[in-house]
Amino acid sequence: MRRDDRPTVLLGVTGCIAAYKACELARALVREGARVKVVMTEAATRFVGPATFRALTGEPVATTLWADPADANVFHTSLAEEADVLVVAPATANTIARIAHGEAGDLLATTALATEAPLVVAPAMNVHMWRDEATRANVATLRARGAVIVEPDSGELACGDVGEGRLADVRTIADAVLVELARARDLAGVRLLVTAGPTFEPIDPVRFIGNRSSGKTGYAIAEEAARRGARVTLVSGPTALPDPFGCATVRVTTAAEMHAAALEAFADADAVVASAAVADLRPAEPSEHKLKKAASADTPVEPLALERTADILAGMGAAKDGRVLIGFAAESRDVIASAREKLTGKQLDLVVANDITVPGLGFASDENRVTLVDATSAEELPVLSKRALARVVCDRLAALLAAPSAKTG
Ligand code: CTP
């Protein structure tokens, strides 16, 4: 249980001459009202002593997975759970590489791997290391996963070279951390309905009409919103994913079941994110028994009669009553124009439009490239991991809820 109400910032300090500036950062964050817990790599302790951070923060300083036998087996996960934000400043090329590759060789890398908290990284290194393709790729990996990179400044470096690589201004890093702390609670108390995954419409007891939706984006949004304080009901079609942490998950199979479960949660919801790929058509009369192969190759094949399913989101749009509604669109042409038609047709506040023609992205992949379309703008996002996309969607959701026309303030 939390000892106090202050948000917890985990400050990772790595082995670099700029490590002394992390002392100023720790002080700035403490002054801003944060509880600051410092994790140092072994190399960092050669530049600044743990006692300095201990004195500045009033908290124990963690330096190794193994220091205290009583704590050793839980240290990495306990720190990871406590963190509201993890900031690594200064971050060396080595630590950036470790985190990007998911290594867990020291306490800081292990904590970064284990935490669900947002990550802020403030690199500091020699200009050639900073510009090296390996570092570029590692930084790009972190950014695509949603990490905030506080770019280093240019100037004279400790090694005598001149160029980019100097740790950013401490105030700039502190501000980036404060923005992440605010974001960490910006959906507090919001009642959110998320629909996700495909629906399966039975043809007979063993066959169905379905689609390739994996549910990953919707699950990531549900989990991100819950992390930021929302009370989330996730209504999910059949997926291979575990229930997301901190959400009430309702599993359904057909469009009709999804409709019923969604309407129940909608009654109490402040906002809806409809990411489910709901079948538009279903077999009109599913067979009670398994359909048999025709007796001979010449026997005519019975056509499958289909009927429309209800458009769940359009129904919620018609009963909107001040709620914020975000829909998804999978388009293969005229992406923005088609998304805008859905926006107005279903009375939505935002459409996440997916260009399904981009090879290797979208359905079943871990990455997406989408355009966020509202009544007045279309924001084309870069290729993002589904988790990073979830963060952006939750940012827009929080902004829409804060807008004066929304039901909740
Ligand atoms: N939706 C829904 N219920 C349905 C169909 C769709 O709630 N029966 C929601 C989806 O969750 C999504 C949006 O509506 O948010 C997608 O709209 P839809 O009209 O189905 O568009 P697409 O399937 O993308 O494409 P098309 O225009 O070809 O139908």
Side-chain angles (χ1 to χ4, degrees), residues 195 255 274-280 309-314 316 326-331 342 346:
T195 68
S275 72
V278 188
D280 294 320
T309 59
D311 190 318
I312 305 169
L313 186 56
M316 294 195 281
I326 300 180
F328 275 63
E331 308 290 357
K342 281 187 187 121
K346 301 193 191 190

Side-chain angles (χ1 to χ4, degrees), residues 79-390:
L79 285 171
E81 275 165 26
E82 278 177 86
D84 291 305
V85 171
L86 169 61
V87 52
V88 184
T92 56
N94 181 38
T95 291
I96 289 172
R98 279 168 175 247
I99 297 176
H101 292 272
E103 286 183 20
D106 64 21
L107 181 60
L108 178 55
T110 307
T111 305
L113 192 59
T115 192
E116 293 282 312
L119 174 65
V120 177
V121 178
M125 66 194 75
N126 165 276
V127 59
H128 302 295
M129 291 168 85
W130 174 244
R131 286 191 191 159
D132 188 88
E133 275 178 36
T135 305
R136 306 275 83 219
N138 290 333
V139 168
T141 299
L142 293 181
R143 204 175 258 132
R145 276 192 218 140
V148 175
I149 309 293
V150 187
E151 295 278 332
D153 287 338
S154 260
E156 196 177 324
L157 305 172
C159 54
D161 282 347
V162 175
E164 314 96 85
R166 257 168 50 165
L167 184 70
D169 188 57
V170 165
R171 194 61 246 171
T172 309
I173 305 169
D175 285 346
V177 173
L178 295 176
V179 167
E180 289 309 305
L181 278 180
R183 202 199 309 241
R185 299 303 301 164
D186 64 356
L187 294 176
V190 171
R191 294 164 302 176
L192 176 67
L193 162 64
V194 179
T195 68
T199 64
F200 289 175
E201 309 303 326
I203 297 170
D204 68 16
V206 291
R207 303 179 180 94
F208 60 83
I209 297 175
N211 62 68
R212 295 182 198 281
S213 167
S214 67
K216 284 179 187 169
T217 301
Y219 278 56
I221 291 169
E223 198 162 69
E224 172 72 13
R227 198 179 294 125
R228 287 157 73 158
R231 281 151 52 198
V232 181
T233 302
L234 171 67
V235 177
S236 171
T239 70
L241 305 172
D243 289 1
F245 192 74
C247 306
T249 303
V250 184
R251 301 269 180 180
V252 297
T253 304
T254 64
E257 288 167 11
M258 183 171 278
H259 196 186
L263 281 191
E264 201 176 316
F266 179 73
D268 289 330
D270 302 308
V272 179
V273 176
S275 72
V278 188
D280 294 320
L281 299 169
R282 67 176 165 227
E285 286 173 28
S287 169
E288 200 182 321
H289 300 286
K290 182 168 174 264
L291 295 172
K292 290 287 184 195
K293 223 177 4 246
S296 82
D298 303 332
T299 317
V301 177
E302 283 288 316
L304 187 63
L306 299 173
E307 65 182 16
R308 286 187 202 292
T309 59
D311 190 318
I312 305 169
L313 186 56
M316 294 195 281
K320 183 169 178 165
D321 192 21
R323 294 176 182 86
V324 170
L325 301 183
I326 300 180
F328 275 63
E331 308 290 357
S332 55
R333 59 191 157 150
D334 301 331
V335 175
I336 295 172
S338 315
R340 246 196 210 117
E341 267 171 39
K342 281 187 187 121
L343 187 85
T344 44
K346 301 193 191 190
Q347 303 187 50
L348 309 179
D349 299 281
L350 184 72
V351 170
V352 183
N354 219 327
D355 183 347
I356 53 171
T357 59
V358 184
L361 297 178
F363 278 165
S365 119
D366 284 325
E367 290 179 329
N368 245 352
R369 190 163 69 197
V370 304
T371 305
L372 300 181
V373 181
D374 66 13
T376 54
S377 69
E379 185 189 353
E380 212 173 301
L381 299 179
V383 174
L384 292 174
S385 72
K386 290 186 172 177
R387 171 142 188 222
L389 173 60

Side-chain angles (χ1 to χ4, degrees), residues 186-187 190 228 326 392-403:
D186 64 356
L187 294 176
V190 171
R228 287 157 73 158
I326 300 180
V392 179
V393 171
C394 286
D395 288 349
R396 292 291 286 261
L397 173 62
L400 284 164
L401 285 161

